Amino acid sequence: MLTLPGLIDPHVHMREPGQTHKEDWRSGTAAALAGGFTCILAMPNTDPPVTDPASLESAEESARKRALCDYGLFLGAGEDNVETAAGLAPKTVGLKMYLDRTFGPLRLGDPGAIAAHMTNWPAQKPIVVHAEGKRIALAIQLAARLGRSVHIAHVSRKKEILLIKLSKEKGLAVTCEVTPHHLFLTKEDIPRIGAGRSEVRPKLATKADQQALWENLAVIDCFATDHAPHTIAEKDGENPPPGFPGLETALALLLGAVREGRLTMEDILKRMVDNPRRIFHLPEQVDTFIDVDFDAQWTIRGHYLQSRCEWTPFEGMPVRGKVVEVNLRGRIVYQAPDVLVQPGYGRDLFGPALPPEPIKPIPM
Ligand code: DOR
Ligand code: ZN
């Protein structure tokens, strides 16, 4: 049995408000706990997207009522919310900018609007960018010119990781994350997964791209699941939306790489605890840890996942390593396969100040 700190996932899509048939704050944070995550950072491409005081308040309320683990909320950057966004910054973990098209309506095409957000958004609050290929270069260039940091989400291609490597070598304030699906799947897996179910942004890449990610592990600051649940019916339908669930499979896949000698436990903890905490300025979660049975063998099955979407691109894959218990702020919140706290136990790390924790009795 391994005892590890609670993991942090800096890139998760809860579907509430608006699309709770895919996921809600309870089902999504149950998936987080089952995967060993005690803190998740939620993306703003809900319905409506989180871009103004009313939509932020509605997302805060959903999370406050139903979250089982701790969380922070991202605000979405739009072409016309530059001033409003900056005013809401203290209530959020950071700003998310979509420079390329993906699921949902949020999109920043105009470089002028990107620059305006980068100028107005408080320097001490992170900006996360969804960008691919040349748009990554644009984001890094603008951030450098404006003298601020930028975090690149879900890097998937060789050219992209090499560009980020070069930027870091030049001393630019760039950080990045990579998903387990881009580390463990490629285009070659599409026939097995199915065309609709394989849709994800960024798309599954080539073996050479995948290899470049592994060869440049030192450039990767965080592992982030980009947990993006859609139902099986939607994925198998006419117009399959992009996205994979990932919270419940990430740790077992990464522990497999530890077994194979491709990663160390330190590599994992740096990218799933220390770096996310540092990059996103997250407070320490006291008395928070997970127990993992390193040897437990299981087969990934969508049907048994806590996530409402009930499918996974890793269906049928044998893995080892299972989260057996999660302690969050001094309470056992999960004992596989059961959630042991009520919805609402999770705290907004950027919300109103927390009431003090109850004083624990001193053991005799
Ligand atoms: O595949 C994706 N799905 N990539 C994204 O960037 C968004 C996500 C979603 O929200 O479904
Ligand atoms: Zn995403």
Side-chain angles (χ1 to χ4, degrees), residues 11 13 43 96 154 226:
H11 192 144
H13 297 268
M43 288 297 159
K96 176 73 184 282
H154 42 48
D226 196 5

Side-chain angles (χ1 to χ4, degrees), residues 143 184 261 294 311:
F184 294 99
F294 186 68
W311 76 279

Side-chain angles (χ1 to χ4, degrees), residues 13-15 19 43-50 98 102-106:
H13 297 268
M14 295 290 146
R15 301 303 194 188
Q19 293 161 325
M43 288 297 159
N45 62 336
T46 44
D47 183 15
V50 180
Y98 290 91
T102 181
F103 183 67
L106 282 175

Side-chain angles (χ1 to χ4, degrees), residues 102-115:
T102 181
F103 183 67
L106 282 175
R107 174 96 211 279
L108 267 189
D110 171 22
I114 303 168

